[in-house]
Amino acid sequence: MARGVAETAAGLAAVARAFHARGWLLGTSGNLSAVVERQPLRIAMSASGVDKGELRPEQVLSIDEDARVVGRNGGKPSDESLLHIRIVKERGAGAVLHTHSVWNTILSDFFAADGGIKIEGYEMLKGLQGVRTHEHAEWLPIVENSQDMTALADTIGETLNKHNDAHGFLLRRHGLYSWGDNLAQAKRHIEILEFLLETIGRTLRIREQAI
Ligand SMILES: [Zn+2]
């Protein structure tokens, strides 16, 4: 592996282990990527079908803008590579992370009819890039899930254009996507959004029990 790719792969593997420990990347679910080079586009991305709790740097692939493997590491690119590439292009992101937590799965279905979740009034919102006050209202769009990754990438492109300020989105009954200028920022955004989603989910449950 080239030095840049090797360092990035080690960083992705560390984040995968941390997220797995939180229950957000169980089994082979979810995927992680980070941009290594912009021109031409080279993205380090977790391979398909690998256990995220045991992700090793050599299981991180280098892919191009068409999701073809270009590096020395072999393996199959994740089906969701096209979504990562679209987010990198639309947002100029340096890293894209995707988790399958219990709470993001539940709430992506619970609020699906609304087309998204409005998250407002929480101090933790200030962990999202550019947010200065808890009075911020974050709209987390929900996109219908699909196995047609080309069509889904187009839908996500439209969603990102429509919601320019969004720091992430949910795929219905599937999971959360977030990103950042770099891996550290993307990791922070996932942690913040997962915290907020769990908080909203638990609040709904307490309200239900109180009635
Ligand atoms: Zn997924």
Side-chain angles (χ1 to χ4, degrees):
M1 279 190 282
R3 188 173 164 75
V5 180
E7 272 176 25
T8 307
L12 291 174
V15 171
R17 283 193 298 274
F19 283 5
H20 178 270
R22 302 295 306 270
W24 302 341
L25 287 176
L26 295 181
T28 59
S29 70
N31 31 64
L32 312 90
S33 71
V35 174
V36 177
E37 203 180 323
R38 297 259 175 204
Q39 291 287 347
L41 188 63
R42 292 289 180 265
I43 298 176
M45 172 137 196
S46 53
S48 176
V50 299
D51 191 308
K52 299 305 180 303
E54 296 165 21
L55 181 67
R56 299 189 308 277
E58 55 271 30
Q59 292 172 317
V60 173
L61 309 175
S62 184
I63 60 171
D64 67 10
E65 65 172 352
D66 297 314
R68 288 179 303 223
V69 177
V70 289
R72 249 179 275 168
N73 287 350
K76 183 181 174 295
S78 164
D79 290 339
E80 291 178 62
S81 298
L82 291 177
L83 309 188
H84 286 244
I85 292 163
R86 183 61 66 100
I87 295 165
V88 164
K89 287 186 172 176
E90 295 284 346
R91 284 293 202 254
V96 179
L97 302 173
H98 168 49
T99 49
H100 289 198
S101 72
V102 172
W103 284 112
N104 77 37
T105 303
I106 291 173
L107 297 189
S108 69
D109 192 32
F110 190 82
F111 288 102
D114 300 334
I117 305 176
K118 190 179 179 186
I119 309 173
E120 195 174 17
Y122 292 101
E123 181 69 13
M124 278 290 261
L125 283 164
K126 287 161 64 182
L128 300 175
Q129 197 62 23
V131 176
R132 303 264 172 268
T133 167
H134 66 282
E135 289 171 350
H136 171 77
E138 179 77 14
W139 180 253
L140 191 62
I142 299 172
V143 175
E144 196 64 42
N145 194 27
S146 169
Q147 302 303 322
D148 181 343
M149 289 303 149
T150 307
L152 190 53
D154 287 342
T155 306
I156 285 164
E158 288 163 20
T159 302
L160 294 177
N161 280 322
K162 196 170 161 195
H163 303 285
N164 265 314
D165 297 333
H167 292 81
F169 62 85
L170 292 162
L171 292 180
R172 187 179 182 191
R173 291 189 174 188
H174 176 161
L176 169 69
Y177 269 87
S178 189
W179 52 86
D181 295 340
N182 49 49
L183 183 57
Q185 191 182 101
K187 176 174 177 274
R188 192 177 88 216
H189 285 167
I190 286 284
E191 288 181 347
I192 295 289
L193 291 171
E194 287 288 0
F195 173 94
L196 290 165
L197 289 170
E198 184 168 346
T199 298
I200 290 167
R202 286 176 182 257
T203 302
L204 286 170
R205 196 162 64 181
I206 289 169
R207 282 211 188 113
E208 181 81 9
Q209 287 164 354
I211 292 168

